[in-house]
Amino acid sequence: MSTILVVDDKASMRKILQQKLGKSGFDVIEAEDEDHAVECLKNNSIDLILTDVRMKKPDGGIELLKITKRDYPYIPVILMSAYATVPQAVQAVKDGAEDYIERPYSIDALMVKIEKALQKRHLIEENRFLTEENRLLRDELHLRGDFTDIIGKSKRLQDVLDLIRKVAKTDSSVLIQGETGTGKELIALAIHNNSARRDKPFIRADCATYAEGVLESELFGHEKGAFTNAIRERMGRFELANGGTIFLDEIGDISPQTQLKLLRVLQDKTFERVGGSRPITVDVRIIAATNKNLEEAVRKGTFRQDLYYRINVVPIYLPPLRERREDIPDLVYHFIKKLSGKVSNRIKHVSPEAMELLINYEWRGNIRELEHTIERAMVFADGDTILPEHLPLSKDAIINQDIPKSGTLEEVEKLEKKLILEALQQSNWVRTKAANILGIKRSTLNYKMEKHGITSPIDDSNE
Ligand SMILES: Nc1ncnc2c1ncn2[C@@H]1O[C@H](COP(=O)(O)OP(=O)(O)OP(=O)(O)O)[C@@H](O)[C@H]1O
Ligand SMILES: [Mg+2]
């Protein structure tokens, strides 16, 4: 339903319009002069202004037009003019008024003008919305493409996927917790793509990247003049996500003020833009994610408990990769396939030794780190197989460091080769550094590399 602001100093005229427009299904708000009208604009969501030209001030309507064009450029203004003020009204249309109507007029003629103006406004709004939406969706597009498969047969991951299928059917708020790189964003997108909202926007907001204040305006938008750089009004991500899903990434990082505002959106689906006071209502599903321990933040008092309960309706915990190592081989081959166009078409296999390294590694950066490691290995490898020397995995993080307490000389040789490779990878194949790590001279390292048949994957002949 559209809301029309009727501005006229004569109460009787306002009453008539109130009745007629009300009958045609419009919400009508009345104002007796331009000052009162500006108040109404601040506190309500107005779709069209119908104003007298001459009020207490002889050009009160023109003044209101100017203010509207400046602060609410998308709200159409139709002027009602008496014969004497027609020249003013004509000029006003040149200055940006949508239209004018001369008194006395038939209500039907007025209705045609109103409908036309509203239709036009609707198209413009839709266009603006689509432009903004496009911009944001372009960012998301690569993610959408990625979604086709969430890899992992482990019970831990399968349990998560079962939960996602269930929660996708609902509108409940979801909180995804997990270490960095465990796939929180991927899972959030999967929930959206499997929900009834899948054809509506999935809008992401990274709460950690914006400075305080900026985040508020990113989320809720701002009115013109809300702060120094707010040259024009702007929709926030909540408005853009209307009908769809908003993904609040790193929610543990938001300020108390924004927490409070979020709480209100969760409670009443209503908020105001920064610098504005008219309430905006949206229908948005909230999925939040964090790699912090929110429960602890609540205990410490840095995160509101009431907000935590609102968000954490369905908690999803993504286990770190090292707790589901059985997924690693599938993930490795998934990334080889995924990256084959981008990095190298040659790589087809992973040697058993390399796979063993990958399976036993700590993966503090979880799946993202695994993906990057595979990408690097594909760049390094010359043949069609990823070998241990293509994996620059840091020595400290390899578990199963099975240093033999006793053993054959052959085992010692193997261990030596392993330590040399690790040192080289750790130092990005800069031999001087690697020798330092190993506590040997560079010349000794050269000799040992030759003995073990280790060649550098990069051209280090100048080194
Ligand atoms: N189960 C999975 N199968 C395939 N790819 C995955 C899986 N989980 C994560 N990925 C990939 O790993 C990378 C990291 O995932 P994502 O960005 O979702 O992690 P995150 O938990 O949001 O990380 P951060 O906390 O650092 O933001 C992405 O490229 C994603 O596509
Ligand atoms: Mg993320």
Side-chain angles (χ1 to χ4, degrees), residues 271-341:
F271 60 91
E272 288 95 28
R273 288 186 186 158
V274 176
S277 51
R278 72 197 158 93
I280 294 172
T281 307
V282 287
D283 164 30
V284 173
R285 195 238 184 111
I286 295 186
I287 302 180
T290 178
N291 55 25
K292 300 224 167 88
N293 186 339
L294 269 197
E295 217 164 285
E296 198 176 301
V298 169
R299 261 199 308 277
K300 282 195 198 137
T302 51
F303 200 88
R304 295 181 68 104
Q305 185 168 40
D306 42 10
L307 180 59
Y308 175 69
Y309 286 137
R310 286 268 173 187
I311 293 172
N312 196 25
V313 177
V314 180
I316 293 181
Y317 174 67
L318 286 181
L321 189 53
R322 63 186 166 281
E323 287 176 19
R324 44 179 166 125
R325 295 182 188 276
E326 62 267 48
D327 288 341
I328 293 177
D330 284 342
L331 281 164
V332 167
Y333 279 104
H334 167 72
F335 289 131
I336 289 178
K337 216 163 98 197
K338 176 173 156 188
L339 296 165
S340 68

Side-chain angles (χ1 to χ4, degrees), residues 59-288:
D59 59 351
I62 306 293
E63 224 164 82
L64 175 59
L65 169 69
K66 282 191 188 137
I67 294 170
T68 309
K69 286 294 110 185
R70 190 191 64 203
D71 295 344
Y72 307 90
Y74 299 101
I75 303 183
V77 177
I78 297 179
L79 294 153
M80 298 175 290
S81 126
Y83 177 71
T85 54
V86 165
Q88 263 171 296
V90 172
Q91 182 58 42
V93 171
K94 286 188 192 144
D95 292 340
E98 185 60 36
D99 207 344
Y100 78 94
I101 191 160
E102 193 185 333
R103 291 191 159 114
Y105 53 78
S106 77
I107 196 74
D108 287 344
L110 178 64
M111 218 51 95
V112 170
K113 285 179 189 283
I114 289 177
E115 290 294 353
K116 221 170 84 187
L118 284 176
Q119 240 165 35
K120 185 166 146 198
R121 177 191 155 106
H122 185 69
L123 285 177
I124 291 173
E125 277 277 292
E126 205 168 66
N127 194 18
R128 276 175 66 211
F129 181 85
L130 290 176
T131 316
E132 274 284 309
E133 195 191 18
N134 265 342
R135 187 174 66 76
L136 290 177
L137 289 184
R138 260 200 312 276
D139 295 348
E140 305 297 343
L141 218 56
H142 66 284
L143 276 169
R144 251 169 220 264
D146 267 4
F147 164 60
T148 37
D149 24 20
I150 297 174
I151 308 296
K153 295 195 205 81
S154 65
K155 170 123 185 14
R156 300 287 297 274
L157 190 74
Q158 287 304 320
D159 286 349
V160 170
L161 294 183
D162 283 346
L163 182 56
I164 287 172
R165 274 179 217 115
K166 284 189 199 122
V167 79
K169 296 200 191 90
T170 72
D171 254 347
S172 309
S173 300
V174 177
L175 177 64
I176 307 174
Q177 292 188 265
E179 287 179 11
T180 180
T182 44
K184 296 185 291 294
E185 185 156 349
L186 194 70
I187 294 297
L189 195 63
I191 294 174
H192 172 77
N193 282 344
N194 284 287
S195 77
R197 295 169 179 264
R198 69 172 73 84
D199 296 323
K200 294 290 168 73
F202 174 85
I203 302 289
R204 173 170 181 268
D206 186 348
C207 303
T209 52
Y210 300 104
E212 147 124 57
V214 182
L215 174 65
E216 207 180 322
S217 134
E218 276 295 323
L219 293 178
F220 304 108
H222 59 73
E223 298 292 358
K224 189 178 159 177
F227 43 87
T228 324
N229 291 326
I231 326 171
R232 37 175 303 186
E233 54 156 341
R234 186 162 164 231
M235 271 190 228
R237 293 182 185 232
F238 267 97
E239 273 175 88
L240 290 164
N242 201 5
T245 305
I246 192 163
F247 175 50
L248 301 172
D249 207 357
E250 306 303 350
I251 194 155
D253 290 330
I254 61 176
S255 70
Q257 187 187 331
T258 311
Q259 287 181 28
L260 186 63
K261 222 163 159 171
L262 262 183
L263 181 67
R264 229 191 104 210
V265 184
L266 279 154
Q267 278 168 347
D268 334 324
K269 305 204 171 293
T270 302
F271 60 91
E272 288 95 28
R273 288 186 186 158
V274 176
S277 51
R278 72 197 158 93
I280 294 172
T281 307
V282 287
D283 164 30
V284 173
R285 195 238 184 111
I286 295 186
I287 302 180

